[in-house]
Amino acid sequence: MSLLLAAVLGVVAVLVVTAPGIYFGLSYLAVEQVTSHEQAVTPYRAIAIAVLGTFVWAIIHVFFGWVPVIGLVLPPLAWIVIVKRYTPTDWPAAVVVGLLAWIPSGLAYRGVGIIAF
């Protein structure tokens, strides 16, 4: 299997696993009051956050994944910051949802990589 196909399958697997986790996690853990319809967490917004998070996670993984401590700390921190920035949540909820997005996404990405090669 080619490297490009494995990368595409990895991204699709990450999005399939991450977007529902973000949507349901934010639906149940959003603590602050949503003041307008634009701030409400919708499935489309969860998919957009998952796409952005996957893109940022991939960039961090490529450039810093080989650094022992930074490569382990930056990906979950990036997910947490993205969830906090683009949703109306407080920090504890953003941490839970960010980790809920990061852990399965990493497992899905590595699983597709193992299956592909």
Side-chain angles (χ1 to χ4, degrees):
M1 184 177 288
S2 72
L3 186 60
L4 180 62
L5 182 59
V8 169
L9 288 176
V11 169
V12 170
V14 167
L15 291 177
V16 166
V17 170
T18 306
I22 292 172
Y23 177 70
F24 290 116
L26 288 174
S27 296
Y28 292 112
L29 293 176
V31 178
E32 296 179 4
Q33 295 291 330
V34 177
T35 56
S36 68
H37 182 67
E38 291 81 29
Q39 291 180 343
V41 179
T42 63
Y44 299 113
R45 190 171 183 139
I47 291 170
I49 292 169
V51 168
L52 178 65
T54 302
F55 182 70
V56 170
W57 177 70
I59 290 172
I60 289 172
H61 183 70
V62 167
F63 290 112
F64 299 107
W66 58 274
V67 181
V69 175
I70 296 173
L72 293 174
V73 173
L74 280 182
L77 185 63
W79 274 107
I80 292 167
V81 169
I82 288 169
V83 168
K84 175 63 179 144
R85 169 68 178 93
Y86 292 105
T87 60
T89 61
D90 56 353
W91 281 105
V95 169
V96 170
V97 174
L99 293 177
L100 185 68
W102 171 68
I103 291 170
S105 68
L107 294 175
Y109 182 75
R110 283 170 180 75
V112 168
I114 290 171
I115 291 170
F117 294 106

